[in-house]
Amino acid sequence: MLVFLLRRLMQACFVMIIISVISFAIQGKLGDPVQQMVGMSASPAERAQLREELGLNDSFISQYWRFAKNVVHGDLGMSYYYKEPALDVILKKLPATLELAFCAIILVILVATPCGVIAAIRPRHLFSRFLMILSSIGLSVPVFIVAIFLVYLFSVKLNMAPSFGRGQTTEVLGLWNSGLFNKDGLSHLILPSLTLTIALMPVFVRLIRAEMMEVLQSEYIRFAWSKGLSAPRIYFLHALKNTMLPIITVGGIQAGTLIAYTILTETIFQWPGMGFLFMDAVSRVDTPLISAYLIVVGGLFVITNTLVDLIYGLVNPTVRLASHGL
Amino acid sequence: MNLLSVSNLNVSFRLKHQDLAALIDISFTLNRGERIAIVGESGAGKSVLGFSIVNLIGKPGHIESGSIKLENKELTTMNLRQLQEVRGKRIAMIFQDPMMTLNPVITIGDQLVETIRSHTKISYKDARNIAIEKLHHVQISSAEKRFYQYPHELSGGMRQRVIIASVLLLNPDIIIADEPTTALDVTIQAEILQLLLTICRDNGVALVLISHDLGVVSKVAERTLVMYAGRVVEEGPTLEIINDPQHPYTQGLLNALPQMTLPGQRLNQIKGNMPSLAERPTGCAFHPRCPYATPRCKQEQPGFIHSGESSVACFMVEDMLSEFADQSDQEVNE
């Protein structure tokens, strides 16, 4: 277990270094920060001086080294716009995004699993066919269209759910502004989390269905039938446990897609999270904020995938053995 | 009453454009405690027959007609719930490849206990005791430890022992073993076979052994059914079939066995291959490969000729018998 964790930690460090290089490299490509800071009024000499003071004339390597040292100390630079440490700005918005993603993930798991299983057990049933058609549509329609459609239907026409903002939030343990604990906050969660769910679900329904159909063909399932076990036990224990192994891995990778979709979803629903902030940062060319976002998201991605690998090890006994170094 | 009686069983695979017959007109009986073998090449329909007894033929296979009776209960018309009561409890199955038969993500113990608990109301602890007792019974070392292990921690031979323990859990009347030793290496094969034989003999369990290995069959089974292209072609006491095979196909199978007494010779083989389901020849399906085939064999399906406890479906045997009868008639007349 320890060996496994250490190995994962080394991989994570390596990934983070690459992410930091990329997020640093794009800083120089997104327009001139001096231009952004001093505006039109400064003279060329003043600009050159500022450039020298900011260390922008140093070599790429030494600039990156300075950046990396700061990052390790938790300093991701100052946001040009907010005039605050970029990391603080992002961390303030993190809870909103995490709550949104969390709701979407729970919904995906709760809906995609039974749908995929049913579609695998009864592939010719009308419901399964309907599900497959629906998931094809879901896969091919872009997220923002889904979001706009949901807003039109539920907010404009039916007036059932609010279409923007996060609503009322309550403070939890003094460090988290949560919308999960009051009615207004929850009602604001409905449409954005539904949008994310619709975006992610088709992949999982199809994946679970395909995996499950393959598992159902295997000898151990036939053996389970020959033992006279009940159908629910065979489907939901014997088959599903084996089906979930590859799905867990894909789930971790899909976390990246989820983050990408939060940018779009948050923008459409004016959801005050990291994705919305990122879009703002891009339009303001707030480069420290952009690279801080990339590093935070990269970190989240690495953490989720490490967790996913740990979960995989818990479900799959053969992996557990390997982690003992046997 | 026979423990199991299969009569005129027809099984086919329903494809888009045609029905392919996999089993044609199969009839046999099995008595309590009796051990029979079903032999034939790959594709003869042995496994399909084994699976169809407990209605476990994979789609698109299904029972077309005929009856399978366990004592007086008809198995072919049972619903899933009724079948579940028969499966495992009265008729248990052992599969070919022990590496594929156990669920890789569930412990050995849980796979044993669930079998007991889905048929009888019993506490986990009691079920565990039965399971460990059966593991001891199949000579698994440190059974208590194995109980908590996963299948991948056991060797192939060990896993087949676990599977045998698993089919013994509910003291079934019949064990259907589909090539139980084929996937194991030769030294283990004999051990497993001996174990299976002892267990059936000691507990009075009837055995249906599906195999292509006549050597294996001769050690275990009292009676043998030889199958070719979905039909039984010869049936009788194993010793008679091995010492005096009547059907040319059975003769071919026996000739193909390596003989220790004739070293340095090429092995005999039956020319050609078993036809696929879609290309079954007319008449006797074996005629294209049969050295004694006559024009009649191409057109008509031979019926069974019974002599003593054996029966065989072959025109050659029929002709020989009638010639023999003619001769004895003449002798009487003279």
Side-chain angles (χ1 to χ4, degrees):
Chain A
M1 195 66 188
L2 199 69
V3 178
F4 176 74
L5 268 181
L6 278 175
R7 205 183 301 151
R8 284 301 316 204
L9 209 65
M10 269 169 62
Q11 283 175 14
C13 287
F14 184 67
V15 172
M16 286 313 292
I17 289 171
I18 292 175
I19 291 172
S20 69
V21 170
I22 293 171
S23 51
F24 175 73
I26 60 164
Q27 283 194 351
K29 305 288 173 219
L30 287 176
D32 185 358
V34 174
Q35 179 85 35
Q36 295 290 323
M37 288 168 90
V38 297
M40 302 298 282
S41 56
S43 70
E46 281 172 327
R47 287 181 188 208
Q49 196 198 346
L50 187 60
R51 205 173 282 277
E52 188 62 38
E53 278 171 19
L54 287 170
L56 292 174
N57 293 333
D58 296 352
S59 72
F60 180 82
I61 307 259
S62 63
Q63 283 192 58
Y64 171 71
W65 184 244
R66 208 159 48 221
F67 171 79
K69 259 199 293 197
N70 290 337
V71 168
V72 172
H73 289 104
D75 174 13
L76 298 183
M78 293 289 273
S79 160
Y80 297 148
Y81 180 79
Y82 292 93
K83 312 283 184 225
E84 269 180 71
L87 189 62
D88 292 358
V89 177
I90 285 175
L91 289 183
K92 254 185 259 166
K93 303 283 186 181
L94 185 64
T97 299
L98 285 185
E99 266 175 24
L100 179 58
F102 174 76
C103 288
I105 289 167
I106 296 289
L107 274 176
V108 168
I109 293 172
L110 287 183
V111 183
T113 315
C115 284
V117 170
I118 291 167
I121 297 173
R122 300 261 174 276
R124 284 160 187 280
H125 194 273
L126 208 63
F127 175 74
S128 311
R129 288 168 192 236
F130 174 69
L131 214 59
M132 284 305 103
I133 294 170
L134 212 64
S135 68
S136 301
I137 297 171
L139 273 177
S140 40
V141 175
V143 192
F144 60 90
I145 293 191
V146 172
I148 291 166
F149 174 75
L150 287 178
V151 168
Y152 177 75
L153 189 67
F154 290 107
S155 304
V156 180
K157 285 285 167 194
L158 299 171
N159 205 12
M160 281 163 69
S163 64
F164 70 92
R166 205 178 164 206
Q168 203 184 334
T169 56
T170 39
E171 205 170 82
V172 183
L173 302 171
L175 37 82
W176 190 286
N177 271 320
S178 175
L180 291 174
F181 299 98
N182 62 68
K183 222 175 145 191
D184 188 51
L186 281 174
S187 73
H188 280 81
L189 254 173
I190 296 172
L191 289 184
S193 57
L194 209 59
T195 306
L196 276 180
T197 310
I198 290 171
L200 284 172
M201 203 148 74
V203 180
F204 282 95
V205 172
R206 289 185 157 257
L207 213 65
I208 291 172
R209 173 178 173 271
E211 242 352 282
M212 181 97 170
M213 283 174 97
E214 205 179 307
V215 169
L216 286 177
Q217 295 293 315
S218 60
E219 282 291 289
Y220 54 80
I221 295 300
R222 210 202 265 228
F223 186 62
W225 285 114
S226 87
K227 297 201 293 187
L229 303 184
S230 69
R233 191 172 176 89
I234 291 173
Y235 290 137
F236 290 99
L237 182 78
H238 281 254
L240 193 59
K241 214 172 168 191
N242 284 285
T243 303
M244 278 315 183
L245 291 179
I247 310 291
I248 290 170
T249 311
V250 177
I253 298 164
Q254 285 288 318
T257 318
L258 179 70
I259 290 165
Y261 285 157
T262 54
I263 298 177
L264 288 168
T265 312
E266 287 180 4
T267 308
I268 292 164
F269 291 100
Q270 302 286 297
W271 187 262
M274 289 194 314
F276 190 31
L277 180 77
F278 177 71
M279 285 306 277
D280 272 354
V282 169
S283 58
R284 290 179 188 128
V285 204
D286 195 343
T287 39
L289 204 52
I290 293 171
S291 40
Y293 174 84
L294 290 179
I295 286 172
V296 169
V297 165
L300 278 178
F301 193 68
V302 168
I303 291 168
T304 24
N305 276 288
T306 309
L307 283 178
V308 159
D309 283 356
L310 285 176
I311 295 170
Y312 187 87
L314 288 180
V315 183
N316 188 351
T318 45
V319 172
R320 221 177 301 165
L321 194 74
S323 68
H324 287 303
L326 288 170
Chain B
M1 191 196 298
N2 291 315
L3 178 61
L4 183 78
S5 42
V6 175
S7 39
N8 308 104
L9 181 70
N10 285 288
V11 168
S12 65
F13 288 94
R14 192 170 285 170
L15 300 183
K16 256 188 185 148
H17 304 293
Q18 54 184 342
D19 277 10
L20 296 178
L23 296 179
I24 305 165
D25 208 18
I26 304 271
S27 301
F28 70 95
T29 59
L30 180 69
N31 293 318
R32 205 164 267 281
E34 192 185 16
R35 295 183 300 278
I36 67 164
I38 299 168
V39 296
E41 285 169 279
S42 312
K46 312 179 300 267
S47 296
V48 177
L49 177 55
F51 284 121
S52 56
I53 293 172
V54 281
N55 219 332
L56 262 180
I57 331 162
K59 275 182 185 167
H62 72 288
I63 295 173
E64 195 85 46
S65 63
S67 113
I68 302 169
K69 274 191 172 152
L70 180 69
E71 289 179 325
N72 48 11
K73 276 186 278 182
E74 178 62 48
L75 296 182
T76 51
T77 52
M78 277 188 174
N79 63 28
L80 184 63
R81 200 166 286 272
Q82 292 166 317
L83 272 170
Q84 276 164 0
E85 276 169 35
V86 172
R87 291 176 186 161
K89 193 171 187 184
R90 303 211 55 199
I91 304 179
M93 289 195 78
I94 298 172
F95 288 11
Q96 194 174 101
D97 189 351
M99 305 307 251
M100 315 288 285
T101 308
L102 293 169
N103 195 320
V105 299
I106 302 176
T107 60
I108 305 280
D110 283 346
Q111 295 191 53
L112 295 175
V113 166
E114 67 177 357
T115 312
I116 308 177
R117 300 238 290 167
S118 58
H119 289 281
T120 36
K121 281 213 179 341
I122 183 174
S123 74
Y124 182 89
K125 216 180 143 195
D126 290 344
R128 176 179 173 270
N129 289 337
I130 296 176
I132 288 180
E133 182 205 314
K134 297 292 181 192
L135 286 176
H136 279 302
H137 198 120
V138 295
Q139 294 145 34
I140 281 183
S141 56
S142 46
E144 282 86 359
K145 197 180 117 200
R146 303 284 178 220
F147 186 87
Y148 296 105
Q149 284 184 326
Y150 285 91
H152 72 267
E153 295 171 73
L154 273 64
S155 67
M158 279 286 210
R159 287 190 216 181
Q160 199 63 305
R161 279 174 198 274
V162 168
I163 291 159
I164 293 174
S166 148
V167 302
L168 289 176
L169 289 169
L170 297 154
N171 304 312
D173 298 315
I174 304 172
I175 293 176
I176 301 170
D178 185 5
E179 311 228 12
T181 57
T182 310
L184 302 172
D185 59 86
V186 185
T187 47
I188 314 277
Q189 280 188 5
E191 281 176 33
I192 295 289
L193 211 60
Q194 189 56 45
L195 177 70
L196 200 59
L197 181 61
T198 324
I199 275 167
C200 289
R201 215 185 261 152
D202 294 354
N203 302 301
V205 183
L207 177 73
V208 179
L209 178 72
I210 296 162
S211 179
H212 60 257
D213 187 341
L214 282 161
V216 166
V217 166
S218 65
K219 288 187 198 112
V220 177
E222 295 156 329
R223 225 148 39 83
T224 297
L225 269 71
V226 182
M227 285 186 72
Y228 187 82
R231 279 180 192 271
V232 174
V233 292
E234 186 166 2
E235 189 205 334
T238 307
L239 278 179
E240 265 182 48
I241 288 203
I242 286 183
N243 293 327
D244 185 19
Q246 298 297 310
H247 198 281
Y249 177 60
T250 320
Q251 290 169 0
L253 282 183
L254 282 159
N255 279 335
L257 286 179
Q259 303 278 332
M260 295 296 255
T261 47
L262 298 169
Q265 276 197 344
R266 280 183 70 92
L267 279 177
N268 290 309
Q269 58 178 42
I270 308 175
K271 286 198 174 63
N273 290 309
M274 168 89 67
S276 75
L277 294 182
E279 293 154 356
R280 186 195 310 279
T282 54
C284 170
F286 187 59
H287 84 255
R289 303 171 71 190
C290 182
Y292 314 109
T294 63
R296 189 183 174 200
C297 296
K298 287 182 191 162
Q299 284 148 15
E300 285 176 55
Q301 169 63 38
F304 275 104
I305 302 149
H306 305 274
S307 75
E309 284 178 74
S310 316
S311 42
V312 60
C314 180
F315 288 128
M316 184 184 72
V317 181
E318 195 180 308
D319 292 346
M320 265 163 48
L321 279 178
S322 58
E323 260 173 48
F324 183 72
D326 287 350
Q327 273 176 13
S328 43
D329 279 355
Q330 281 170 11
E331 276 164 24
V332 170
N333 291 341
E334 280 170 25

